[in-house]
Amino acid sequence: MPLNRRTFLRATAVAGGTTAFSGALWQRAFAAGPAQPGPSPYGPLQAVDGNGVQLPNGFTSRVVARSMQRVEGTRYTWHAAPDGGACFADGDGWIYVSNSEVPVVGGVSAVRFDASGKVTSAYRILNGTTLNCSGGATPWNTWLSCEEHDFGLVYETDPRGQKSAVARPALGRFKHEAAASDPERKVVYLTEDQGDGCFYRFRPKTWGDLSSGTLEVLVGSGTGPVSWAKVPNPQIWLTPTREQVAEAMRFDGGEGCYYTHGVCYFTTKGDNRVWAYDAANGRLDIAYDDDLVTTGEAPLHGVDAVTATASGDLYVAEDGDNMEINLITTDGVVTPFLRVLGHDESEITGCAFSPDGSRLYFSSQRGKSGFIAGTDGCTFEVTGPFRR
């Protein structure tokens, strides 16, 4: 696959003025190429805290929930193998939802916080699904929970647990990983966790209703201009979804996916890249690539979940033994933000900011034990002076 080694994210003027931001932000981001190692705006990591987390000065961590144990102050038992997650505003407080990546009884749990950050309740919002890996929040405040197997579906869930979850087969049956909503173009982007997986977008007939629409796959030969082609049979197939369009671009293990400031970022663990799809200009670039690090040691190993602050800083988790969340700044500097010690066979999942941007949630999926079933999973909260 030929690759352009230069990344240039253009300033995007969003039609109708629905998203306001400084054009200079994206003109300078990665202007000299994919992100390179550099000093953190928060300073170096400090000594490990009582929860086994290393953080910059001024940041603190706490454990919100542990797999197979009751969430503090509730009667609800937290699920095994916590994976993808997101936060939703809820009155003066907020809700954090979390997938369970186990077979047959996967589903999704939620924990509710009041305005002070105190846990007030925890509960189930999806049952009877399997290998719920990642997903994504929608602009209409639902959580898309994605099954990671060959016939996997996307389920639309209510973070408050007041409405029943609904399967959305129009988004295709494949080994789903993550989803990201683009309100400007009114599409949902989807990643696929296969060694020859694809990058998709779903165009609903009516924005806000995912019951019907068109699934498309990215077509291209590398970085630069790309296009989209319709997937002929995304719901019921003999030929797998990713093999139905011969010209589809292949990605080595699609993982996290997040849309912000006109760009959809997604990660591929097989080649350790963070991709940037410039939606307004129909262009694909590379925001980070181990092989393109020109100075120092490559700081990211096994990219996975990705999220962002309102200012545009990316937070990228690592998959495997290197238990870190790395920061990619809007100036194109990549640097460690936090490290979890003693969780050697786990992975970091479910990165998400609270609605006000003051708290970051994530999980160690298998915890200290490294059990395959994830019965020792641990969900954390980090509080501090995030750049917002």
Side-chain angles (χ1 to χ4, degrees):
M1 182 188 306
L3 292 174
N4 182 338
R5 294 195 171 206
R6 183 175 182 83
T7 300
F8 180 52
L9 301 183
R10 297 171 176 81
T12 304
V14 177
T18 56
T19 301
F21 61 93
S22 169
L25 176 68
W26 297 111
Q27 287 178 334
R28 71 173 186 266
F30 317 124
Q36 299 293 322
S40 171
Y42 300 117
L45 299 185
Q46 303 297 302
V48 62
D49 67 13
N51 298 316
V53 183
Q54 282 186 279
L55 291 160
N57 188 41
F59 290 84
T60 59
S61 76
R62 70 165 169 162
V63 175
V64 171
R66 296 183 185 274
S67 294
M68 316 314 297
Q69 296 184 29
R70 286 186 176 180
V71 178
E72 184 176 357
T74 78
R75 291 188 167 186
Y76 185 77
T77 300
W78 198 239
H79 55 270
D83 207 293
C87 283
F88 299 85
D90 181 58
D92 293 334
W94 60 93
I95 297 167
Y96 177 69
V97 301
S98 172
N99 284 348
S100 177
E101 194 185 16
V102 294
V104 184
V105 293
V108 186
S109 297
V111 57
R112 179 180 276 114
F113 302 85
D114 67 14
S116 71
K118 179 184 176 180
V119 173
T120 59
S121 63
Y123 48 92
R124 195 77 163 167
I125 63 173
L126 177 64
N127 291 297
T129 55
T130 191
L131 296 172
N132 294 77
C133 195
S134 193
T138 68
W140 49 93
N141 294 317
T142 60
W143 167 247
L144 302 181
S145 180
C146 299
E147 291 183 311
E148 189 186 356
H149 58 87
D150 287 340
F151 295 95
L153 287 168
V154 175
Y155 287 82
E156 187 168 14
T157 66
D158 174 17
R160 291 161 186 80
Q162 297 172 355
K163 298 179 181 178
S164 298
V166 179
R168 297 301 189 194
L171 276 72
R173 284 185 176 269
F174 55 88
K175 202 172 181 181
H176 286 276
E177 181 71 30
S181 294
D182 176 349
E184 280 73 49
R185 276 144 291 278
K186 298 182 179 179
V187 300
V188 177
Y189 302 105
L190 302 157
T191 55
E192 181 177 29
D193 192 358
Q194 297 274 15
D196 61 345
C198 296
F199 183 57
Y200 302 90
R201 73 176 182 186
F202 179 70
R203 294 192 294 108
K205 286 185 178 179
T206 302
W207 186 235
D209 179 358
L210 302 179
S211 62
S212 62
T214 302
L215 184 68
E216 299 174 324
V217 64
L218 190 77
V219 172
S221 58
T223 56
V226 289
S227 59
W228 298 89
K230 181 180 178 181
V231 178
N233 299 297
Q235 297 186 46
I236 302 174
W237 48 258
L238 296 175
T239 300
T241 305
R242 70 185 185 280
E243 298 176 8
Q244 293 181 23
V245 177
E247 301 79 15
M249 188 170 172
R250 305 294 169 176
F251 296 93
D252 193 355
E255 289 285 343
C257 185
Y258 195 86
Y259 176 86
T260 181
H261 293 89
V263 178
C264 185
Y265 295 95
F266 62 99
T267 63
T268 49
K269 63 186 178 186
D271 50 16
N272 216 38
R273 288 175 178 153
V274 180
W275 299 83
Y277 172 63
D278 180 349
N281 294 290
R283 180 181 175 85
L284 185 68
D285 285 299
I286 299 174
Y288 175 83
D289 185 339
D290 261 5
D291 292 339
L292 300 183
V293 170
T294 58
T295 58
E297 181 183 353
L300 270 168
H301 307 282
V303 295
D304 200 321
V306 59
T307 191
T309 61
S311 67
D313 284 341
L314 300 181
Y315 288 76
V316 183
E318 299 189 58
D319 187 355
D321 294 343
N322 200 41
M323 293 284 291
E324 292 184 351
I325 295 178
N326 281 263
L327 166 65
I328 301 180
T329 72
T330 54
D331 294 310
V333 172
V334 58
T335 183
F337 171 72
L338 68 78
R339 183 178 297 122
V340 181
L341 303 183
H343 295 225
D344 295 341
E345 297 185 26
S346 188
E347 63 184 271
I348 290 178
T349 59
C351 302
F353 280 95
S354 59
D356 69 354
S358 67
R359 302 166 192 249
L360 174 65
Y361 294 90
F362 69 94
S363 294
S364 169
Q365 189 180 70
R366 291 177 291 279
K368 292 184 178 181
S369 70
F371 289 157
I372 294 175
T375 54
D376 195 34
C378 189
T379 300
F380 296 86
E381 175 194 83
V382 170
T383 305
F386 290 100
R387 304 198 310 176
R388 294 182 250 173

